[in-house]
């Protein structure tokens, strides 16, 4: 058979589509629209190999309407204009409405997407857009408002495994010419990472590599050069993975944190980007509960710059594990957030006169610096005096978490404040 296995096995009906029960199961909205041939404009969003193009193919096979397609990678405004002419012809000569399928629709720029709008609006065609990128980021709002969005998910590993076992016997697949053990099918399903099309490609390659009629895990391994991670450094998986990485650190789960680190490294993520996020996490999620966290993260960034890959992945692993297991406090985050919000509402607060600079000319005449108490002249190098502006003397921006080293700091401050009050009550505040 000259055609690739994925083409030979492309579903022609909804029941043949693998996975996507959430949107194509019995009674689901999208299934009803397709089966009743009442489809309105839709955008299908999901990772590669999850069935976006397949759904469009099924629509093309089952609809009573005309069907046209454009690939946005190579297409442009002229292709849209040609589609409009053909749609007008279908309507005039055959009284048929047209469905226009645009694969990789996120590749169209703003002008090209805008060019679609009048023809969707006036019913010249119904749009089926397919994209691997989040349409809320990549598609025009006006286009989104005229379309229903359906998200497709990576296909479950067990579903892919069972499918491959059937494909091995299917006349359109391997036609029973090769034995596919369950463990090999499971291995291929894991390697596919939710991508049905990729699983079929691996199966076909493994059958070519086989020499004894039994497709073994060794045969499968021989055709896999790198893991299929479905990772795009500028796409959703980039943001989703780094989000899971940081949230695992914040949640004190070292296994999950280092797992997501490994996924990013295997996918070729920029190690400097990872190091920057570690430094942010050290302040945002750990702060003074463990001040060493920022030191560890900063030094890890230094190693990334000076040593680079592959060795720096060891340092990134060390830093990730340290941060994941460190005590957590977000007091630095909440303190600066509270301050910035306060300043927005009170932009004109002035510093108390005794804290102002007394060194420039005429400062003394203005009363600047007068009355300032120098803390190093007092016991414990601390003296009670006003530091906040007059308008915010009682405002508390910092909330100590009382976790880790922050508890040590709280104890220290409580002790020196108590002693200062004691000295003042004794009338012996000056050393």
């Amino acid at each position: 058979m000259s055609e690739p296995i994925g083409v030979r096995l492309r579903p022609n009906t909804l029941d043949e589509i693998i996975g996507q029960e959430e949107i194509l199961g019995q009674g689901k909205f999208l299934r009803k629209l397709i089966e009743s041939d009442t489809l309105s404009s839709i955008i299908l969003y999901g990772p590669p190999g999850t069935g976006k193009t397949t759904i469009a193919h099924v629509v093309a096979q089952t609809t009573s309407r005309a069907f046209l397609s454009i690939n946005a990678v190579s297409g442009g405004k002229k292709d849209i204009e040609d589609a409009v002419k053909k749609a007008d012809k279908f309507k005039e000569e055959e009284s048929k409405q047209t469905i226009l399928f645009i694969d990789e629709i996120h590749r169209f720029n703003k002008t090209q997407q805008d060019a679609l709008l009048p023809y969707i609006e006036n019913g010249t065609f119904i749009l089926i857009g397919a994209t691997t990128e989040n349409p809320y980021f990549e598609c025009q709002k006006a286009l989104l408002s005229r379309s229903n969005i359906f998200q497709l998910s990576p296909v479950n590993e067990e579903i892919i495994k069972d499918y491959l076992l059937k494909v091995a016997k299917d006349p359109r697949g391997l036609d029973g010419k090769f034995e596919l053990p369950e463990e090999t099918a499971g291995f291929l399903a894991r390697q596919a990472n939710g991508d049905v099309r990729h699983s079929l490609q691996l199966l076909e390659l493994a059958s070519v590599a086989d020499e004894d009629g039994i497709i073994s895990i060794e045969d499968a391994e021989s055709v896999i050069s790198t893991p299929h991670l479905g990772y795009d450094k500028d796409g959703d998986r980039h943001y989703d993975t780094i989000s899971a990485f940081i949230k695992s650190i914040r949640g004190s789960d070292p296994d999950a944190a280092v797992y997501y680190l490994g996924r990013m490294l295997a996918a070729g993520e920029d190690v400097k980007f990872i190091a920057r996020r570690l430094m942010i996490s050290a302040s945002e999620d750990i702060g003074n509960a463990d001040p060493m966290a920022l030191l560890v993260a900063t030094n890890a960034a230094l190693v990334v710059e000076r040593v680079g890959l592959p060795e720096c992945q060891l340092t990134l692993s060390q830093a990730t594990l340290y941060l994941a297991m460190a005590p957590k406090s977000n007091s630095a985050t909440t303190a600066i957030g509270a301050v910035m919000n306060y300043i927005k509402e009170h932009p004109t607060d002035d510093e108390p006169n005794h804290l102002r600079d007394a060194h420039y000319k005429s400062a003394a005449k203005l009363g600047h610096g007068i009355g300032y108490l120098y803390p190093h002249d007092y016991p414990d190098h601390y003296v009670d005096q006003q530091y906040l502006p007059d308008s915010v003397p009682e405002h508390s921006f910092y909330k100590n978490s009382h976790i880790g080293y922050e508890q040590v700091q709280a104890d220290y401050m409580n002790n020196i404040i108590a002693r200062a009050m004691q000295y003042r009550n004794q009338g012996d505040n000056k050393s």
Side-chain angles (χ1 to χ4, degrees), residues 157-169 178-191 199 203 213-218 220:
E157 186 180 304
E158 280 297 313
I159 293 176
I160 294 179
K161 185 188 86 169
D162 292 342
Y163 177 60
L164 293 178
L165 291 170
K166 292 176 184 176
V167 167
K169 299 174 183 178
F178 300 88
E179 181 182 339
L180 179 65
E182 278 207 29
E183 58 268 24
T184 306
F187 174 78
L188 291 171
R190 284 193 298 277
Q191 294 300 313
S199 75
L203 177 62
I214 302 174
I215 302 175
S216 66
I217 289 179
E218 289 73 20

Side-chain angles (χ1 to χ4, degrees), residues 191-263:
Q191 294 300 313
N193 195 32
D195 184 332
V196 177
R197 181 173 58 240
H198 188 61
S199 75
L200 292 173
Q201 292 170 346
L202 291 178
L203 177 62
E204 189 168 43
L205 290 171
S207 70
V208 173
D210 173 65
E211 296 179 352
D212 60 3
I214 302 174
I215 302 175
S216 66
I217 289 179
E218 289 73 20
D219 294 327
E221 286 177 335
S222 71
V223 301
I224 298 171
S225 56
T226 57
H228 182 66
L229 298 176
Y231 191 97
D232 183 343
K233 287 194 283 184
D234 296 318
D236 289 350
R237 294 304 293 274
H238 160 82
Y239 294 107
D240 290 343
T241 307
I242 195 66
S243 174
F245 174 62
I246 294 302
K247 286 172 181 172
S248 298
I249 290 175
R250 182 180 299 141
S252 300
D253 189 329
D255 288 315
V258 78
Y259 166 77
Y260 290 116
L261 171 66
R263 285 189 67 86

Side-chain angles (χ1 to χ4, degrees), residues 398 400-402 404-417:
Y398 168 60
N400 191 300
S401 71
H402 300 288
Y405 190 71
E406 273 199 285
Q407 181 60 57
V408 175
Q409 293 177 313
D411 291 341
Y412 169 75
M413 289 301 300
N414 288 336
N415 285 336
I416 65 171
I417 291 171

Side-chain angles (χ1 to χ4, degrees), residues 151 189 379 426:
Q151 183 170 359
Q426 293 173 350

Side-chain angles (χ1 to χ4, degrees), residues 127-383:
L127 172 71
I128 300 179
T131 175
T132 55
E133 304 299 323
N134 191 327
Y136 293 103
F137 295 148
E138 302 296 335
C139 296
Q140 294 294 97
K141 289 182 179 179
L143 188 62
L144 295 177
S145 71
R146 291 162 174 79
S147 309
N148 286 307
I149 297 172
F150 294 93
Q151 183 170 359
L152 286 74
S153 304
V155 181
N156 179 275
E157 186 180 304
E158 280 297 313
I159 293 176
I160 294 179
K161 185 188 86 169
D162 292 342
Y163 177 60
L164 293 178
L165 291 170
K166 292 176 184 176
V167 167
K169 299 174 183 178
D170 193 315
R172 297 173 300 162
L174 300 185
D175 198 19
K177 296 175 181 176
F178 300 88
E179 181 182 339
L180 179 65
E182 278 207 29
E183 58 268 24
T184 306
F187 174 78
L188 291 171
R190 284 193 298 277
Q191 294 300 313
N193 195 32
D195 184 332
V196 177
R197 181 173 58 240
H198 188 61
S199 75
L200 292 173
Q201 292 170 346
L202 291 178
L203 177 62
E204 189 168 43
L205 290 171
S207 70
V208 173
D210 173 65
E211 296 179 352
D212 60 3
I214 302 174
I215 302 175
S216 66
I217 289 179
E218 289 73 20
D219 294 327
E221 286 177 335
S222 71
V223 301
I224 298 171
S225 56
T226 57
H228 182 66
L229 298 176
Y231 191 97
D232 183 343
K233 287 194 283 184
D234 296 318
D236 289 350
R237 294 304 293 274
H238 160 82
Y239 294 107
D240 290 343
T241 307
I242 195 66
S243 174
F245 174 62
I246 294 302
K247 286 172 181 172
S248 298
I249 290 175
R250 182 180 299 141
S252 300
D253 189 329
D255 288 315
V258 78
Y259 166 77
Y260 290 116
L261 171 66
R263 285 189 67 86
M264 290 187 289
L265 291 171
E269 181 60 82
D270 182 359
V271 287
K272 291 181 181 178
F273 168 74
I274 298 172
R276 288 196 297 271
R277 293 309 301 263
L278 284 171
M279 288 189 286
I280 294 167
S281 178
S283 291
E284 181 181 9
D285 298 314
I286 298 166
N288 288 329
D290 184 354
M292 275 295 294
L294 183 56
L295 204 58
V296 169
T298 303
N299 280 319
L302 189 61
V303 172
V304 164
E305 287 186 7
R306 293 189 179 181
V307 177
L309 287 168
E311 291 86 352
C312 76
Q313 68 181 8
L314 302 175
T315 307
L316 288 172
S317 176
Q318 178 187 353
T320 296
L321 294 172
Y322 188 97
L323 267 59
M325 293 187 289
K328 302 298 188 293
S329 169
N330 69 340
S331 59
T333 304
T334 56
I336 192 63
V339 167
M340 299 308 289
N341 287 332
Y342 184 87
I343 289 171
K344 264 186 200 174
E345 298 174 7
H346 308 84
T348 57
D349 293 324
D350 291 329
E351 306 81 5
N353 269 346
H354 64 279
L355 296 186
R356 294 187 178 187
D357 184 11
H359 293 90
Y360 65 91
K361 191 175 180 180
S362 303
K365 292 180 181 178
L366 296 172
H368 293 181
I370 296 174
Y372 172 63
L373 305 177
Y374 187 56
H376 297 297
D377 287 341
Y378 295 83
D380 298 316
H381 300 257
Y382 173 83
V383 62

